[in-house]
Amino acid sequence: MIGSTGIFKDQGFRNLYIATAASAASVSIARLAIPLVAVTALDVGEFEVGLVSTFLTLPFLLIGLPAGVWVDRLRRRNILAFCQLARSAILISIPLFWWVGILSIWQLYATVLLFGSCNVFFDVAYQSYLPSLVGRDRVLEGNAKLVGVQQVFAVGGPSLGGQVVALLTAPVSFVVTSVGLAVASTSIFRIRTVEKTPVRRPESRMFKEVESGLRLVWGHARLLAIAGSTAWLNLTSYAVYTVTMLFLARTLELSPALIGLFLSVSGVGGLLGSFFSRRISEKFGPGPAMWLILLIGSPFALVLAFVDSGWSLWIAACANGITAFMTVVYNVTQISCVQALAPDEYLGRVNATMRFLTWSAMPAGSALGGAVAGWLGSREALLVCAAAGCVAFLPILLSPLRGMRKFPSLSDEDDAAPEGASARG
């Protein structure tokens, strides 16, 4: 994968790629370990498990929009590096609390809330940094490669994470994740590409800058359609993921190692999606690629609700792999569309606004999944939540994106930025 493209000749991209790999490996273990701490170490109920995931993503709703303003005001490389260090320090608190015997569900809520707050700044800066690092003409290629390495660890990470959790226990496994995030921070600090210093006008105010980002997205039919489909996909996907962890751990009574293996088998689809996303987008056009892949891939998430712990479990893992393929192709395409549409000086705010509109659905989805599982049972909740996800393609299908054959730009007549939110301010 590295030898097949010239983008790896760029020293800055190579270091970002290495940092992404270290971060993805760490987060894939943490993603498995966080709910398992609640399920196995603290032995809390279904709703409390759902709240853990809710607190992890709640900061996107609380501070998502102001984060975009700060990302536009500061150098994005520094934000990325310091957020990795902060995430490393926050996660190490879980084993420390565990070792001294004071870990509780409320402390876990606080820890994931702080971790999620760092995720807000990191993710907005991450999506905003790539165009300035590699150039807008290579964002699709760069996104595909970065998502590709993330998917490598989406495949191997859960299996590795399951083994780490089984060996060290869920709380202690966070020592491994903390080390990985520290390595990622070091790699980002090594990027030598000079980043243009953001210019802040003396009259600028937080509220006005947030408003300008909101106005740009709200007045843009294509961005709104992407936000609508992505928000619904996130709502239902996080509900499904929360219920899946409960279903595998309690209904099917699988071990952490076997849960990790199940997620790894499912993750193969995401890895394949990263390899084919650029090809699919270029062949069908970004608009059709997005709504068609959602239409075809979403129903496969229904399969898990009909299996048990025998051989049929692995049929469900393969079906989940098709859904993962869909998700990666969709995400690479929609992220590249957003990056192509936003002016450089507004990229942080546009990404933050899109994250606010789409990622705010995540805590709602996690809480909804836990609540529905507590009400109906995990098997029935899986069926309901997965079925709801099958309509995520509709906002894009019913928008100007439906037949869009090439990546757009802000100069398109039908999607020009609203007055007061242009690149000229």
Side-chain angles (χ1 to χ4, degrees):
M1 182 165 60
I2 292 179
S4 64
T5 176
I7 199 170
F8 283 100
K9 295 179 182 178
D10 187 307
Q11 181 270 349
F13 184 80
R14 286 200 309 272
N15 278 289
L16 182 63
Y17 185 88
I18 293 169
T20 300
S23 179
S26 303
V27 172
S28 66
I29 296 174
R31 184 173 169 82
L32 176 68
I34 285 172
L36 287 179
V37 168
V39 172
T40 62
L42 300 177
D43 193 27
V44 297
E46 285 82 358
F47 184 69
E48 286 81 1
V49 174
L51 282 181
V52 172
S53 297
T54 299
F55 280 112
L56 183 62
T57 52
L58 185 62
F60 281 96
L61 177 62
L62 300 178
I63 61 172
L65 293 175
V69 175
W70 283 108
V71 167
D72 282 338
R73 289 178 177 179
L74 303 172
R75 291 188 175 180
R76 291 154 187 171
R77 189 205 70 157
N78 294 342
I79 295 174
L80 294 175
F82 284 117
C83 281
Q84 295 286 38
L85 281 178
R87 296 201 296 182
S88 175
I90 290 166
L91 289 184
I92 200 67
S93 69
I94 295 178
L96 292 178
F97 285 146
W98 174 256
W99 283 327
V100 298
I102 60 173
L103 183 65
S104 69
I105 189 61
W106 292 104
Q107 288 160 334
L108 186 61
Y109 289 156
T111 300
V112 297
L113 184 65
L114 290 173
F115 184 74
S117 299
C118 292
N119 290 346
V120 173
F121 284 91
F122 179 84
D123 289 334
V124 172
Y126 188 81
Q127 296 301 330
S128 304
Y129 184 52
L130 185 64
S132 64
L133 183 66
V134 303
R136 287 177 177 269
D137 57 329
R138 295 196 292 178
V139 293
L140 180 60
E141 180 184 5
N143 281 322
K145 295 298 180 289
L146 294 174
V147 171
V149 72
Q150 290 169 351
Q151 289 304 310
V152 168
F153 291 102
V155 174
S159 181
L160 174 63
Q163 297 298 331
V164 171
V165 170
L167 178 64
L168 301 178
T169 72
V172 183
S173 65
F174 288 101
V175 173
V176 178
T177 67
S178 295
V179 172
L181 291 170
V183 170
S185 178
T186 301
S187 184
I188 293 171
F189 273 124
R190 293 182 61 194
I191 295 176
R192 296 193 299 268
T193 303
V194 178
E195 187 179 358
K196 183 170 64 175
T197 302
V199 177
R200 180 186 176 188
R201 295 186 298 272
E203 70 275 11
S204 62
R205 295 292 184 271
M206 175 69 70
F207 178 79
K208 290 293 185 181
E209 293 186 57
V210 167
E211 182 188 18
S212 66
L214 284 168
R215 290 180 62 190
L216 196 152
V217 173
W218 190 256
H220 205 295
R222 290 171 177 171
L223 289 177
L224 273 182
I226 292 172
S229 284
T230 307
W232 189 254
L233 182 65
N234 286 341
L235 177 76
T236 55
S237 295
Y238 267 68
V240 168
Y241 182 79
T242 298
V243 179
T244 295
M245 296 300 293
L246 290 167
F247 180 70
L248 297 177
R250 288 187 171 166
T251 302
L252 301 187
E253 298 181 343
L254 302 184
S255 67
L258 202 54
I259 292 174
L261 181 60
F262 175 90
L263 296 177
S264 292
V265 171
S266 301
V268 172
L271 178 59
L272 293 175
S274 69
F275 289 135
F276 288 100
S277 57
R278 183 183 179 190
R279 200 171 306 173
I280 291 172
S281 180
E282 291 175 344
K283 180 176 178 59
F284 295 99
M290 285 189 287
W291 71 262
L292 276 172
I293 202 72
L294 290 177
L295 174 64
I296 295 169
S298 296
F300 286 91
L302 294 164
V303 175
L304 183 59
F306 297 97
V307 306
D308 54 32
S309 58
W311 59 269
S312 61
L313 176 67
W314 306 108
I315 294 178
C318 294
N320 278 11
I322 297 174
T323 303
F325 179 94
M326 165 207 79
T327 302
V328 169
V329 172
Y330 172 77
N331 279 332
V332 169
T333 307
Q334 65 93 359
I335 288 170
S336 299
C337 277
V338 173
Q339 289 171 335
L341 285 164
D344 285 337
E345 57 267 49
Y346 279 81
L347 195 52
R349 274 163 284 179
V350 168
N351 278 319
T353 301
M354 294 294 288
R355 286 289 187 270
F356 174 79
L357 295 174
T358 62
W359 288 42
S360 296
M362 292 178 180
S366 299
L368 180 64
V372 174
W375 177 37
L376 298 177
S378 58
R379 190 181 296 273
E380 292 78 7
L382 268 177
L383 186 61
V384 170
C385 296
C390 292
V391 299
F393 71 97
L394 285 176
I396 292 177
L397 179 65
L398 301 176
S399 78
L401 289 166
R402 179 176 58 252
M404 189 179 71
R405 303 288 298 179
K406 63 179 182 178
F407 283 99
S409 68
L410 282 172
S411 62
D412 294 343
E413 292 183 5
D414 59 332
D415 276 327
E419 183 181 355
S422 67
R424 297 179 181 84

